[in-house]
Amino acid sequence: LNLTRSANLRKLSFSDPDYGDNPVCELCNYQTYVFFHLQQLSHMDTIPIPEEGKQLAEATYMKKKMYYNMRIKTLKRNTTNILRKGREAFTNRKGQSMQTLTVLVRQLKDLERELEAEVNSVFDPSAVKGKIKMLQQAVESKTVEIGQAENMLSTMKEQVCSISDYNTSRLIVELETGGNIRLEDGKPSDVWYSSCVDLVNSRFFQADVAPYGISDLRVTRVTRIHNRFLRNRFEERLEQLVDTSDPSYKRSLEYLFYGLDPRLPGEILRVAEEGFRSAEQYRRMGLDAAVALSNSLSIADLARVQDCMKQQNWPANRDGTPKFR
């Protein structure tokens, strides 16, 4: 809260009988949140604040903070355990590969010495050369295998830490907004989960992404965003445009997709918390002065697909499609 800088602030009204209600009044727990962060207040919404009210607000907030801190610690502990098990698996696999590699190198050296000595009475030089070539290929293959295992470990660390940071940020947002913004992971048994999966599948057209080597789509996770403030703004605006008293109005609504823009990392989570930026903000950032929304899944996700290709150094045509097509 920026109001915390106002140390001399004593009276604050979000709900005033003369000027009406501030939109913040429609949020849950807003008074508890204000009481905790602005403990110097004497009046809130034209009503004196009893000391018991401040104590109750502080106790409620601290309980919530302890709860979320416990979840964050559990998340970090699980992340550490996953990384530890990954390192152990890598160490075991590398140890076995190194033992095999040592044996192969020793045999290769023996054959090379044998070839140099030209002991023709025992070994056929052509046969020895053939064995040396096979051992060299095996050594090279085992070396590549060890390198791939190291890359897998590095990728696993990056992905696990990224997921951990993402989930931690979700919990922090939920705590700092008093539960008015939270992200809920769905289960296949949830009706809304199935509805989202059906919607995504219905908007996926394989022909649009075939040039990128994509043949199918599989939904692995659905997360529902609960943002009371943005929801209230949306419904208020919707009531100005549509007759919401008619239950059939939802049939005329169109679902649009917003895809990840590689130029704005973390933008989706920011949108979930604060909403879209204004067109002028996008323009000042050197982007199109608009929010790109589409009813086509492939169009909304195209920028992310092309960025993945670029990160993997795939050669691309002028239209952005990979050259293997």
Side-chain angles (χ1 to χ4, degrees), residues 74-265:
T74 301
L75 182 61
K76 291 182 177 179
R77 183 170 59 250
N78 293 339
T79 301
T80 302
N81 290 337
I82 292 174
L83 294 176
R84 176 176 54 80
K85 292 181 179 179
R87 284 192 296 267
E88 291 175 354
F90 167 74
T91 302
N92 294 335
R93 181 173 179 179
K94 184 178 180 181
Q96 296 173 358
S97 298
M98 290 300 297
Q99 290 179 357
T100 304
L101 184 61
T102 301
V103 173
L104 291 172
V105 171
R106 185 169 60 249
Q107 292 178 351
L108 179 61
K109 294 297 183 182
D110 291 342
L111 287 175
E112 288 176 345
R113 284 194 297 268
E114 195 70 34
L115 185 62
E116 291 176 358
E118 296 182 356
V119 187
N120 298 326
S121 59
V122 180
F123 297 101
D124 179 12
S126 61
V128 174
K129 291 180 180 179
K131 291 181 179 180
I132 289 176
K133 184 176 181 181
M134 292 176 61
L135 285 172
Q136 289 174 339
Q137 293 176 347
V139 169
E140 182 179 355
S141 175
K142 191 58 64 174
T143 303
V144 171
E145 180 180 321
I146 294 174
Q148 290 176 343
E150 292 176 346
N151 292 334
M152 289 174 61
L153 177 63
S154 177
T155 302
M156 185 272 291
K157 287 181 179 179
E158 182 179 349
Q159 292 180 348
V160 169
C161 291
S162 176
I163 294 173
S164 177
D165 292 342
Y166 170 71
N167 288 328
T168 300
S169 64
R170 285 173 50 172
L171 293 174
I172 293 175
V173 166
E174 187 172 337
L175 171 64
E176 292 182 346
T177 60
N180 286 285
I181 300 176
R182 61 187 180 89
L183 283 75
E184 175 188 2
D185 289 328
K187 297 178 291 185
S189 58
D190 295 329
V191 176
W192 61 268
Y193 180 101
S194 303
S195 298
C196 290
V197 172
D198 293 340
L199 173 64
V200 171
N201 287 328
S202 67
R203 300 295 177 83
F204 173 74
F205 301 102
Q206 196 273 334
D208 294 343
V209 292
Y212 296 89
I214 300 174
S215 59
D216 198 2
L217 176 144
R218 181 167 61 93
V219 178
T220 58
R221 184 173 65 179
V222 178
T223 301
R224 180 163 61 174
I225 301 171
H226 298 269
N227 188 320
R228 297 180 190 275
F229 181 66
L230 293 181
R231 181 71 182 183
N232 292 339
R233 285 177 54 189
F234 173 78
E235 291 180 348
E236 180 180 350
R237 181 58 176 163
L238 185 65
E239 289 176 355
Q240 298 175 1
L241 302 173
V242 180
D243 181 13
T244 56
S245 61
D246 182 5
S248 63
Y249 79 94
K250 292 186 177 181
R251 298 178 182 176
S252 60
L253 297 180
E254 178 65 86
Y255 291 95
L256 301 176
F257 294 99
Y258 174 75
L260 176 65
D261 190 335
R263 298 170 296 180
L264 297 174

